[in-house]
Amino acid sequence: MSEHTESSASLRLFAALPLPRELRDALAGWSRDKLRKTFPMEKWVHPEDYHLTLKFLGGTPADRMPAVREALALVAAGTAPFGLALDGLGTFGRPGLPAVLWAGVRAAERSGTGAWSGLADRRRQAAASGGGPDANGRAQPSGSAQPSGSAQPSGSAPPSAPAPLARLAEAVEAALVPLGYPAEPRAYRPHVTLARRWSAPHAPDRALLAAPPPAALSAPWAADRLVLYRSRLGQAPMYEPLAEFLFGNRDSG
């Protein structure tokens, strides 16, 4: 586990899955070159802030941080890497005035031989040696107090969470309930927030949401860690990683 020393009296925290560097770069390019021309949103998420929220903790006293880190480390130690891929666009809010533009996520099967843990190990080794992209990410919405994954849809809903991702979110929540973080009563609908607040006088063309993404955004990746983030309102990137927990690592925490 890697961590950042924090002395603030209260921290606004959430746990999330980061997106791999190469996926963040591809998503940022698509957003810049295509989506911004198609969807006139007021605020676009900083590429370093893309993530999949697992649990929003909110304001947390600094003296509770060791217990939070220990709980997340235990969850990560008992989790094996699994495959995910982005899966289309959607919005939250009124259909004629979307509040959020998001990308969904689906389960991904490993092509060829080998498990997701093998791909995750190779990515970690490449990142450690400086020979390839890392698997870290920071988090998400620039200009928003609530991380991606915690908003609830009133427009089009993201698909249900892939089974391994749903189990991980449930495990994170169960580990944090004893620390005073209440369980979320609403269904977990994972998504990556891309932009906020529709700014055009006309309603969006819903058919545009069905436009196929570039091939690079459909490529599967190995989810191999969870990260504890702090929200820094008004800054860009907005989310700062405080601690990282590798899946299957019994020494974390």
Side-chain angles (χ1 to χ4, degrees), residues 6-13 57-65 181 229-232 242:
E6 186 58 60
S7 59
S8 301
S10 182
L11 310 174
R12 192 172 177 84
L13 305 178
L57 284 69
T60 297
D63 60 7
R64 195 185 296 173
M65 282 287 288
Y181 300 100
Y229 292 101
R230 175 181 71 148
S231 296
R232 305 175 301 170
L242 299 181

Side-chain angles (χ1 to χ4, degrees), residues 42 71 186:
E42 289 184 13
R186 296 168 294 191

Side-chain angles (χ1 to χ4, degrees), residues 94-191:
R94 289 182 289 167
L97 192 66
V100 173
L101 175 68
W102 50 259
V105 66
R106 61 177 173 81
E109 298 297 330
R110 183 84 171 94
S111 60
T113 59
W116 285 107
S117 57
L119 178 59
D121 288 343
R122 289 192 294 275
R123 176 174 287 142
R124 293 171 189 172
Q125 292 167 4
S129 65
D134 66 86
N136 290 321
R138 277 209 178 146
Q140 104 50 39
S142 299
S144 166
Q146 195 85 332
S148 171
S150 52
Q152 290 300 308
S154 57
S156 53
S160 298
L165 181 54
R167 288 193 295 269
L168 176 60
E170 291 171 359
V172 167
E173 184 157 272
L176 293 174
V177 165
L179 302 182
Y181 300 100
E184 172 59 59
R186 296 168 294 191
Y188 177 55
R189 299 283 184 175
H191 60 278

